């Protein structure tokens, strides 16, 4: 168990978190460890991005693990989060970067989407730590932590980076192992599950994919059966844990 109640034990907690990550068998194992680890730093949100081999920049195709709430994910997708000037500045850095979104707004930083920035602040995404990552199997990406606090200091960033690097490394190998196994889901079933993961209902999925609502339900039911899932949400979780909603 990670000791989140003792600030003086951050180094020990970081080592314990990495030990848990090394033993992780699924993405959900890493999810639980990161969620348990972050409160040490008064941070409560994380997201893991991976660069797509085909160069696509759609947010939902780059995010492989996150505890962002569904409202934020939807707003970010609607506002082209990946090309938001605040994010492009972070992505341009090859070193860990710690910033305050609130301070950037107060200082008059140029942004092409202040509305999204103000929404993020209202949800508590002020302090942001962006950590570029690369795995031993050739994947590149980043891990980002955020929360309602002041700028994360360099000493704290060092510990966060240590955990982020191990989380990304283990996660990419978990996905590689999953991709080496035969994916039981059809392309249509994956499309329908990904839509469900983004919070779309059956009617919205029908319009997006260009098939009838009846067919959407048919594919979701088939996916649930193949994954041994109790319901649609359980099927989405199972597919994400197995790395079957996308190849990276």
């Amino acid at each position: 168990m990670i000791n989140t109640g003792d600030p003086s034990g951050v180094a020990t907690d970081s080592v314990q978190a990495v030990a848990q990550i090394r033993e992780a068998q699924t993405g959900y194992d890493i999810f639980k460890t990161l969620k348990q680890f972050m409160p040490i730093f008064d941070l409560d949100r994380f997201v893991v991005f991976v660069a797509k081999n085909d160069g696509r920049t759609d947010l939902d195709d780059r995010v492989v693990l996150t505890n962002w709430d569904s409202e934020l994910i939807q707003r970010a997708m609607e506002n082209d989060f990946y090309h938001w000037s605040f994010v492009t500045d972070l992505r341009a850095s090859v070193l860990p970067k710690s910033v305050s979104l609130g301070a950037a707004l107060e200082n008059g930083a140029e942004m092409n989407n202040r509305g999204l920035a103000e929404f993020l602040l209202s949800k508590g995404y002020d302090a942001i730590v962006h950590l570029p990552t690369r795995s031993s199997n050739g994947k590149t990406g980043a891990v980002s932590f955020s929360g309602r606090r002041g700028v994360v200091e360099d000493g704290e960033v060092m510990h966060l980076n240590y955990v982020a690097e191990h989380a990304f490394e283990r996660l990419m190998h978990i996905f590689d192992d999953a991709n080496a196994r035969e994916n039981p889901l059809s392309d249509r079933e994956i499309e329908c599950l990904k839509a469900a993961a983004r919070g779309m209902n059956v009617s919205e999925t029908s319009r997006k994919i260009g098939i009838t609502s009846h067919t959407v339900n048919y594919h979701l039911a088939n996916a649930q059966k193949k994954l041994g899932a109790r319901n649609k949400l359980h099927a989405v979780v199972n597919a994400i844990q197995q790395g079957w909603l996308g190849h990276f």
Side-chain angles (χ1 to χ4, degrees), residues 24-69:
Q25 298 300 308
T26 68
Y28 186 59
D29 291 337
I30 295 175
F31 178 98
K32 290 187 293 185
T33 298
L34 292 179
K35 188 174 180 181
Q36 188 180 24
F37 174 69
M38 289 185 302
I40 303 169
F41 304 93
D42 291 326
L43 301 170
D44 58 2
R45 294 287 185 269
F46 71 87
V47 59
V48 181
F49 299 99
V50 64
K52 295 282 285 185
N53 292 330
D54 59 9
R56 293 188 62 181
T57 59
D58 301 291
L59 182 67
D60 53 296
D61 284 314
R62 292 177 56 86
V63 173
V64 293
L65 197 69
T66 186
N67 69 340
W68 286 4
D69 61 60

Side-chain angles (χ1 to χ4, degrees), residues 132-214:
T133 50
R134 184 179 182 87
S135 67
S136 61
N137 58 358
K139 306 298 192 300
T140 58
V143 179
S144 178
F145 297 100
S146 56
R148 196 186 299 271
R149 55 157 288 177
V151 174
V152 179
E153 301 298 331
D154 288 348
E156 297 173 290
V157 172
M158 178 181 69
H159 292 293
L160 287 167
N161 192 52
Y162 176 64
V163 172
E165 287 178 342
H166 283 82
F168 189 82
E169 169 74 7
R170 184 68 192 123
L171 194 58
M172 293 303 100
H173 282 281
I174 287 171
F175 283 143
D176 259 8
D177 291 343
N179 291 338
R181 301 194 301 272
E182 182 180 355
N183 189 337
L185 301 171
S186 70
D187 289 343
R188 280 299 194 199
E189 288 162 358
I190 290 171
E191 282 186 289
C192 291
L193 284 174
K194 286 187 72 172
R198 300 169 201 166
M200 295 183 186
N201 60 33
V202 171
S203 296
E204 291 169 333
T205 302
S206 170
R207 290 193 297 272
K208 177 177 175 59
I209 298 177
I211 57 179
T212 67
S213 295
H214 175 79

